[in-house]
Amino acid sequence: MKDQIDELAVFGGTPAFQEKLYVGRPNIGNREQILQRIADMLDRRWLSNNGLYVQDLEKRIAKLLDVKHCIAICNATVALEITSRALDLTGEVIVPSFTFIATAHALQWQEITPVFCDIDPVTHCLNPWRIESMITPRTTGIVGVHLWGHPCNTEALTEVASKHNLKLMFDASHAFGCSHNGTMIGNFGDAEVFSFHATKFINAFEGGAVVTNNDDLATKIRLMKNFGFAGYDNVTYIGVNGKMNEACAAMALTSLESLDEFTQINYRNYKCYQSELAGIPGLKLYAHDEAEKRNYQYIVVEMEESVTQVSRDQIVKILHAENVMARRYFYPGCHRMEPYRSYFPHAGLLLPETERLTERVLVLPTGTAIDESDIRLICKILRFVLAHGISIRKQLQSALKPAHFAENQGEFQCTKH
Ligand code: T4K
């Protein structure tokens, strides 16, 4: 452990970890089971197109979430695209900017304008009280994001959507296995979309699903994800290829069987971070509601730079040097990425909480790939750095003179004027 500032890897010391610790390291589950499923799949020679694994996965998810329909899709981005099209969204749709870019892109890809709305500073989800002022005659829907697995204020969103005759769907990519007032996420709005990307709580290598209690919508989405085929040689609708293949479904089924184990490990890690970070001035761990079902997949820390003296970006640089690959999700906010920043250069004026959070949030590694001793060491580094905030900031600044930081996809480089 570091006793002197010069021992930090950013100043030339040895990195605390020999190998990189990543945010979003995949949970693997039962290796023998996945390999057995892949072998069976090869023996059966049924690799895609609504195979047995996909059917089984859809049934198990619908049962687990107590929802009428689950339609497996190749990834959540395509699932969002298909669902928004099936809901006849057009014109403008209200979304948060503090989310992964796919939430906005899925709309813009279909020439639907994402209108960015600010978030609640505590939950980091859409602020329902800000929505009415963003509604125009072109608005057709709202897409809420259950960020970090925390449910949106579904009651208030449902009320505003029905008052203005808007469709309501949720990007539930982070919220598989989570509940809201005792009801599983998957049962809110017109439809909800999950991601089973490799980095997600339950993973299918790449994958996603739409869940809904609406029979007609489910039928439409099933057609749309399979080119519109209603049977052999019979296309009744315009569609795309959104199918999940059998290898992905095999992985998802295996992952699903480890849901309790993954939850326990994530919860153990969360509690470890909670106790190790307690009392560090200027750091606040995002609180998961333990009275509800949660997957604890994201360890989110907010930093108050006026207290810590080192900025969030300086902390990221220090941690990366120690091989802790912390992330700045979801910096800089969708509204500051293309094409949106060119379309709406002043969007930030209406998004004060989003702008504030994108400068403060740090996401730390968790999941089955790390253990409590890793977490204790990460937190010790943070505690040490923040105990010497002013000196470290000065040393970082002088080490960088006369160059300045430039950003490149979360990494930092020095560039000359
Ligand atoms: N809506 C929301 C709210 C989302 O968060 C996402 C996805 C979507 C929609 C769209 O879902 P999908 O269409 O993907 O199903 C990553 C994931 O690629 C992305 O799926 C996820 N959100 C987002 C939060 O994180 P990046 O740009 O950070 O990816 P990347 O390559 O930097 O990897 C993330 C971390 O995971 C790294 O620290 C490395 C590690 N990693 C990654 C992979 C793929 C591994 O250790 N092993 C791996 O196999 O977006």
Side-chain angles (χ1 to χ4, degrees):
M1 187 40 216
K2 326 263 167 183
D3 295 317
Q4 306 288 330
I5 290 175
D6 286 343
E7 290 176 41
L8 287 171
V10 75
F11 298 128
T14 310
F17 294 93
Q18 280 186 338
E19 290 186 8
K20 290 186 185 338
L21 296 189
Y22 290 102
V23 171
R25 205 79 170 135
N27 295 323
I28 304 298
N30 185 330
R31 199 177 281 255
E32 287 71 39
Q33 184 70 273
I34 171 78
L35 294 175
Q36 183 59 53
R37 282 196 163 110
I38 299 284
D40 290 350
M41 174 195 88
L42 296 176
D43 288 345
R44 281 191 281 110
R45 291 178 190 261
W46 196 282
L47 310 184
S48 188
N49 292 20
N50 204 27
L52 286 181
Y53 291 153
V54 161
Q55 291 176 35
D56 193 14
L57 179 69
E58 291 179 343
K59 278 192 199 110
R60 289 206 213 177
I61 291 175
K63 189 163 177 234
L64 182 77
L65 307 184
D66 198 17
V67 65
K68 272 174 97 175
H69 305 280
C70 170
I71 304 121
I73 307 279
C74 55
N75 60 56
T77 307
V78 171
L80 287 165
E81 287 168 9
I82 292 176
T83 309
S84 50
R85 193 179 260 260
L87 282 169
D88 296 321
L89 297 185
T90 55
E92 295 174 3
V93 168
I94 296 171
V95 288
S97 169
F98 194 58
T99 178
F100 189 61
I101 194 68
T103 319
H105 277 357
L107 297 166
Q108 187 65 50
W109 193 253
Q110 302 170 79
E111 302 189 350
I112 300 167
T113 303
V115 173
F116 298 116
C117 180
D118 214 2
I119 47 170
D120 179 299
V122 176
T123 66
H124 301 183
C125 297
L126 262 185
N127 181 342
W129 323 119
R130 289 289 164 86
I131 285 180
E132 282 197 309
S133 63
M134 326 276 312
I135 295 174
T136 74
R138 298 186 69 228
T139 310
T140 56
I142 302 169
V143 180
V145 180
H146 303 307
L147 210 74
W148 320 130
H150 186 97
C152 295
N153 184 339
T154 56
E155 297 77 14
L157 290 176
T158 304
E159 202 178 310
V160 73
S162 58
K163 182 173 164 196
H164 295 275
N165 201 20
L166 303 175
K167 299 282 173 36
L168 175 63
M169 60 183 266
F170 291 100
D171 178 344
S173 292
H174 296 186
F176 193 82
C178 301
S179 67
H180 181 46
N181 295 331
T183 300
M184 294 304 282
I185 295 290
N187 288 279
F188 298 96
D190 295 295
E192 305 209 51
V193 167
F194 294 108
S195 170
F196 303 131
H197 180 256
T199 57
K200 293 292 185 289
F201 173 58
I202 295 300
N203 98 76
F205 303 127
E206 288 273 1
V210 186
V211 292
T212 179
N213 287 310
N214 180 325
D215 299 342
D216 294 339
L217 186 66
T219 305
K220 211 166 161 185
I221 290 170
R222 277 200 186 285
L223 286 171
M224 283 182 153
K225 69 121 194 213
N226 186 26
F227 313 101
F229 274 110
Y232 281 134
D233 311 326
N234 181 22
V235 170
T236 60
Y237 218 86
I238 182 170
V240 289
N241 183 353
K243 289 169 281 139
M244 180 184 276
N245 67 55
E246 286 290 273
C248 290
M251 183 64 176
L253 280 168
T254 312
S255 191
L256 201 57
E257 284 159 5
S258 293
L259 183 140
D260 290 341
E261 182 200 334
F262 295 163
T263 308
Q264 277 164 22
I265 290 169
N266 282 349
Y267 180 67
R268 176 204 69 190
N269 291 351
Y270 169 67
K271 295 308 276 183
C272 188
Y273 272 114
Q274 197 177 51
S275 69
E276 295 294 318
L277 295 177
I280 303 184
L283 278 198
K284 193 174 93 185
L285 181 67
Y286 182 90
H288 292 291
D289 181 355
E290 297 185 37
E292 293 279 349
K293 281 193 197 299
R294 290 289 179 269
N295 58 35
Y296 301 95
Q297 177 71 1
Y298 290 96
I299 298 293
V300 182
V301 173
E302 276 180 59
M303 285 185 47
E304 178 59 60
E305 189 181 334
S306 63
V307 179
T308 57
Q309 301 299 328
V310 277
S311 69
R312 186 274 314 269
D313 290 354
Q314 287 171 328
I315 290 278
V316 170
K317 186 177 167 63
I318 291 165
L319 290 176
H320 280 199
E322 303 291 350
N323 279 334
V324 180
M325 308 310 286
R327 296 297 295 263
R328 301 184 294 174
Y329 288 142
F330 286 100
Y331 176 86
C334 296
H335 69 289
R336 287 186 181 271
M337 303 222 220
E338 292 295 357
Y340 315 108
R341 71 173 171 220
S342 296
Y343 290 169
F344 319 111
H346 305 298
L349 294 172
L350 292 172
L351 304 168
E353 297 298 347
T354 302
E355 297 243 303
R356 206 178 61 90
L357 266 183
T358 54
E359 297 297 330
R360 296 161 61 99
V361 164
L362 181 70
V363 178
L364 296 170
T366 185
T368 53
I370 74 165
D371 61 26
E372 287 171 291
S373 65
D374 298 326
I375 294 170
R376 279 194 283 272
L377 187 48
I378 294 169
C379 295
K380 268 191 188 137
I381 298 168
L382 282 171
R383 197 176 278 279
F384 175 79
V385 168
L386 299 187
H388 301 86
I390 295 176
S391 319
I392 289 175
R393 189 189 63 207
K394 280 190 189 146
Q395 198 157 326
L396 277 172
Q397 282 165 349
S398 61
L400 285 167
K401 269 183 194 163
H404 71 269
F405 282 132
E407 295 160 33
N408 181 14
Q409 294 189 343
E411 305 293 334
F412 295 82
Q413 307 172 327
C414 284
T415 54
K416 299 244 186 261
H417 282 291

